[in-house]
Amino acid sequence: KRTNRTTKQGNKMSSSKATDDKAAPKHLSAHSKTTQILSLIGLIVASFAVSSAAVFFKLLPDISFLTKSYWRLLLTACLQSLILITLIIRDGFNKTSFLLLLQHYKLIILDGLMLALHFAWWVWSLDLTSVTRSLLLVSSSPVIIVLYNVVKRRPLHGFEIIGAIVSALGVGIMCFGMEEGSGGSLAGDGLAFLASIAIVVYMEIGRKLRSECGIPAYYFITPVHYIAAFITLLLAMCFAQESGFVLYLGFLEEEYFLIVLVLAIGPGILGHTMVNVLLKYVPPLVVSVFLNLEPVWGTILAIAMGMDSGLTLFTLVGGTVMLGGIMFVLYGGALREREEHLTIEEREPLLTEKPTA
């Protein structure tokens, strides 16, 4: 009897422990508190780094937008090459990943094209509209994804639909106040929105290369950046005012080098590259929320550096409404993915259960 009682108590303890482990979020249970704290600190740094790009591009007023985009992409690609070489030396050369990279070269080129268009359109928008409006509209990618899912007739959570409607309302408020000294223009705002569409396609192709094609991110990110740099260079050769050394390697000149280096290290390496690393330790919803605070940090930095951020009452109210809608979209998307995951887990026992004789 005593043995049976002890066995039952042990079973209860093990079952309760299993329940607790199952209830604990994967990101929290898999890593120590120190790792979580360091990851959140890294996420804050990445958020600020990404947000600084608009301000530093504004510090190059005499350079055309295509040349600035080319400089930024080329120097970032060079720094990423150093990281890639370091990883290959540490982990060894992955021949399979390299062959997959060659096999899916069309997707790699298309991804580079989308990245090039994103930078060309967005940096161009900074010449035509205010920092705040440009950052708000280029951060609207979650809403674009919702609209894409509507066209594809994919299931959506109610919060995603509400968030998209609220965001559209926010954009309407900003457009209503365009002539109230906002520093905005329809062309500039439209370019920022196009840049947001391009980055959505870029991320979707990257997801396909990583999850469906099985290519590690650090193997395709570097060539994608080189392709994007080459495309922007070709466009700059056709349409930019710069030529010769100033176009090809002008960022090496003393007056430009530090600014372009900060753009490559800050938004490029400490920003987007670090975010890809942190996704292993931080829930995607938290990462998305921090990244979509870019208009807030960018506006604060622009004001701190004495720039005209274009922050008017209409932009402030409309931008706040728009960001609120984006947060609804992100939260709704996380809930939908969780529900889909739970549905799959509930079906798995039925699919794997053996039929009785």
Side-chain angles (χ1 to χ4, degrees):
K1 289 182 179 179
R2 186 176 297 174
T3 304
N4 292 337
R5 193 178 300 165
T6 306
T7 305
K8 288 180 180 179
Q9 289 176 352
N11 290 336
K12 286 182 180 179
M13 290 176 64
S14 60
S15 63
S16 63
K17 184 178 179 181
T19 305
D20 293 340
D21 291 341
K22 189 176 181 180
K26 292 180 180 180
H27 288 278
L28 296 180
S29 60
H31 306 287
S32 65
K33 286 186 178 181
T34 303
T35 304
Q36 294 169 31
I37 292 171
L38 290 175
S39 299
L40 288 174
I41 292 173
L43 187 56
I44 293 171
V45 172
S47 179
F48 274 104
V50 170
S51 305
S52 67
V55 171
F56 284 103
F57 273 124
K58 282 281 192 179
L59 293 177
L60 300 168
D62 299 328
I63 305 298
S64 63
F65 68 93
L66 287 170
T67 303
K68 286 188 281 191
S69 301
Y70 160 66
W71 287 356
R72 154 65 161 90
L73 287 166
L74 178 63
L75 198 52
T76 301
C78 291
L79 294 175
Q80 287 175 339
S81 298
L82 297 177
I83 297 174
L84 177 60
I85 292 170
T86 303
L87 291 172
I88 290 175
I89 292 173
R90 189 192 68 181
D91 303 329
F93 179 71
N94 191 330
K95 185 179 179 181
T96 303
S97 297
F98 181 73
L99 292 175
L100 286 171
L101 197 68
L102 295 177
Q103 181 181 346
H104 298 285
Y105 71 94
K106 291 181 180 179
L107 281 177
I108 300 293
I109 294 173
L110 182 59
D111 209 25
L113 174 62
M114 289 299 104
L115 186 61
L117 290 176
H118 165 73
F119 272 100
W121 284 334
W122 179 55
V123 179
W124 192 5
S125 79
L126 289 171
D127 292 339
L128 302 176
T129 192
S130 66
V131 170
T132 303
R133 297 175 72 93
S134 177
L135 289 176
L136 282 167
L137 289 165
V138 83
S139 300
S140 60
S141 53
V143 179
I144 294 171
I145 293 172
V146 170
L147 296 176
Y148 176 76
N149 287 335
V150 169
V151 173
K152 287 289 184 177
R153 295 182 179 180
R154 294 174 179 171
L156 291 169
H157 195 277
F159 280 144
E160 292 180 282
I161 299 172
I162 293 171
I165 295 172
V166 171
S167 294
L169 177 62
V171 173
I173 294 172
M174 288 195 300
C175 291
F176 183 76
M178 187 174 292
E179 297 180 359
E180 298 293 329
S182 64
S185 70
L186 187 60
D189 292 354
L191 285 167
F193 186 72
L194 286 175
S196 184
I197 295 175
I199 204 64
V200 167
V201 180
Y202 163 78
M203 290 188 296
E204 178 62 22
I205 296 173
R207 183 202 62 78
K208 185 173 183 178
L209 288 169
R210 186 168 51 250
S211 60
E212 297 181 19
C213 302
I215 307 174
Y218 59 85
Y219 263 84
F220 69 80
I221 285 177
T222 302
V224 163
H225 273 75
Y226 275 116
I227 291 169
F230 179 70
I231 292 172
T232 50
L233 174 61
L234 291 179
L235 292 172
M237 290 170 65
C238 296
F239 302 108
Q241 61 187 9
E242 295 81 17
S243 61
F245 178 81
V246 175
L247 171 60
Y248 302 126
L249 296 172
F251 61 87
L252 295 176
E253 294 184 6
E254 185 178 354
E255 58 181 316
Y256 305 129
F257 181 71
L258 186 59
I259 298 173
V260 180
L261 184 63
V262 169
L263 278 168
I265 295 176
I269 303 301
L270 294 179
H272 297 290
T273 302
M274 184 183 289
V275 164
N276 286 324
V277 175
L278 292 174
L279 280 170
K280 181 180 178 181
Y281 306 99
V282 184
L285 176 61
V286 178
V287 173
S288 300
V289 169
F290 269 87
L291 286 181
N292 278 279
L293 291 175
E294 182 180 355
V296 179
W297 307 137
T299 300
I300 292 173
L301 186 59
I303 294 173
M305 296 186 69
M307 295 182 177
D308 182 13
S309 65
L311 185 62
T312 63
L313 179 61
F314 280 103
T315 303
L316 178 62
V317 174
T320 303
V321 172
M322 180 184 170
L323 281 179
I326 289 174
M327 296 305 168
F328 264 97
V329 170
L330 294 174
Y331 182 63
L335 290 177
R336 173 175 49 80
E337 290 178 0
R338 182 183 176 188
E339 290 171 0
E340 290 174 354
H341 180 69
L342 289 174
T343 304
I344 293 172
E345 284 186 340
E346 289 170 358
R347 289 178 181 174
E348 279 180 351
L350 299 175
L351 294 174
T352 56
E353 187 178 349
K354 294 181 180 179
T356 57

